[in-house]
Amino acid sequence: MTEDIQGTLNAIEQHEWLLDWSRFGERVDALEMLEFQILDRIENVMYLHGHRTDLAVLYRRAAQLWLRLTDINTQLFQCLHDELVASTNPAATLRQQVSTYVGKGTLRDPVGYDDLDVLVNGLFGIDTEPEETRPLKPGMIGYQATPARFILDLVERIPLGPDDVFYDLGSGLGRVALLVGLLTPAQVRGIEYDPGHCAYAQQCARHLPVSRVRFINADARDADVADGTVFFMYTPFRGNLLQNVLDRLKRDAHRRPMTIATYGPCTLDVAQMDWLALSGSQEPDDRELAIFRRL
């Protein structure tokens, strides 16, 4: 084990190009290797078998390297953030940043997180997830971030204009609403039940050029969403609660065109609604973005 860790550290340390801002993807790979294959591994061994001097030395070495590479990313994120804030066209600037530092990206796990999610979190200042400050009601699902690539897909497939009002139902820390606010001219609203998560999203928004984005601390069943034209849900609730929200949207749908975009298990439930039609794909897939339009 010691030789294995030693070899991995030697290999990472020899890659001086990891200090280059442009090698973002390789640096993310190196950071994950340091964290999960070395630091966590050493912690587990010493927790189970007690202190070992040789592993403690390797741990300090790996931790210092992790901090060095993390500092490079922190500098990069601050520079890109400042560039975004100063831009006269934030949408074009963000797209260029994504193209330069991520490209197609590399999937990190089966849920679908990739380098784009690391970049978005860094740009938005999202580091650690705050604790939930209010117990969830029956049917509510705990926070999980929507993979950012699906939101880029959403804004490509749904032409959001200045007359649109986009709602993210269950907006969590605000990633979806902030991305849509940066990339489109639509009015954007995030509805979030947990006050701590809502306050966190509001704090992130204050440091970005997203004057058309607002976060509202409310139960989705009670929030005033009557002006909404496009709604997004990453399975924020299920069962009767989901049905209650869909029934409410149905009552509003006869007043104006309405589009509902979904990701995750709720897609299969939304597909059963007789007042909605799935756009594009012939069969609903909870692993992909689904777009439904009012019949």
Side-chain angles (χ1 to χ4, degrees):
M1 174 182 173
T2 302
E3 292 181 358
D4 181 33
I5 293 176
Q6 178 86 36
T8 301
L9 276 174
N10 288 341
I12 296 175
E13 288 171 339
Q14 289 171 6
H15 294 325
E16 285 294 324
W17 42 261
L18 287 172
L19 304 180
D20 187 330
W21 280 7
S22 67
R23 308 304 283 264
F24 178 68
E26 293 97 328
R27 194 161 49 250
V28 171
D29 288 337
L31 284 166
E32 292 201 349
M33 188 176 298
L34 287 167
E35 182 173 358
F36 299 112
Q37 296 186 26
I38 297 180
L39 296 173
D40 284 358
R41 188 176 175 191
I42 291 175
E43 287 178 0
N44 290 335
V45 169
M46 291 205 290
Y47 176 78
L48 293 172
H49 303 289
H51 181 81
R52 279 179 49 179
T53 301
D54 59 339
L55 291 181
V57 171
L58 289 174
Y59 187 91
R60 287 194 295 272
R61 184 176 156 195
Q64 290 172 354
L65 183 55
W66 186 90
L67 287 171
R68 187 182 183 192
L69 296 181
T70 297
D71 185 58
I72 297 296
N73 275 353
T74 300
Q75 295 174 36
L76 172 62
F77 295 149
Q78 186 61 56
C79 179
L80 296 181
H81 176 272
D82 292 346
E83 183 180 62
L84 194 60
V85 170
S87 175
T88 57
N89 188 343
T93 299
L94 179 57
R95 291 182 188 280
Q96 182 58 52
Q97 291 172 341
V98 169
S99 175
T100 300
Y101 292 97
V102 177
K104 293 184 178 180
T106 302
L107 290 180
R108 299 286 164 195
D109 61 49
V111 176
Y113 297 110
D114 57 24
D115 294 346
L116 177 60
D117 295 284
V118 180
L119 183 69
V120 167
N121 284 348
L123 275 173
F124 292 175
I126 298 174
D127 44 23
T128 56
E129 179 185 341
E131 295 289 333
E132 292 179 346
T133 55
R134 177 185 293 175
L136 297 178
K137 294 180 180 179
M140 291 183 176
I141 308 297
Y143 171 73
Q144 187 171 2
T146 304
R149 62 194 175 99
F150 292 113
I151 305 310
L152 266 60
D153 186 23
L154 184 153
V155 299
E156 290 297 326
R157 295 171 58 187
I158 303 175
L160 288 160
D163 294 330
D164 281 300
V165 182
F166 175 95
Y167 278 92
D168 180 16
L169 301 181
S171 53
L173 304 186
R175 293 191 349 152
V176 171
L178 294 174
L179 276 171
V180 174
L182 284 167
L183 293 171
T184 79
Q187 298 293 318
V188 181
R189 307 287 180 258
I191 306 296
E192 173 54 39
Y193 176 76
D194 185 84
H197 287 182
C198 190
Y200 192 103
Q202 290 170 335
Q203 178 67 21
C204 291
R206 279 194 283 270
H207 299 288
L208 291 165
V210 287
S211 60
R212 290 167 285 96
V213 177
R214 288 199 297 116
F215 292 97
I216 301 164
N217 180 210
D219 187 316
R221 292 169 292 188
D222 303 326
D224 181 4
V225 297
D227 57 346
T229 59
V230 179
F231 295 84
F232 175 74
M233 293 186 288
Y234 177 18
T235 312
F237 19 72
R238 59 189 174 190
N240 290 335
L241 199 161
L242 174 61
Q243 188 59 56
N244 289 341
V245 172
L246 290 172
D247 288 344
R248 183 179 180 191
L249 294 180
K250 180 181 179 180
R251 289 193 294 271
D252 289 336
H254 73 276
R255 304 175 187 170
R256 64 196 181 286
M258 180 183 291
T259 300
I260 298 177
T262 64
Y263 175 61
C266 75
T267 294
L268 304 181
D269 294 305
V270 176
Q272 301 302 312
M273 300 297 103
D274 59 7
W275 57 281
L276 293 169
L278 180 63
S279 175
S281 175
Q282 293 184 347
E283 295 293 335
D285 187 341
D286 61 3
R287 298 163 298 177
E288 298 292 339
L289 179 73
I291 296 176
F292 299 88
R293 303 192 190 279
R294 184 207 65 183
L295 291 172

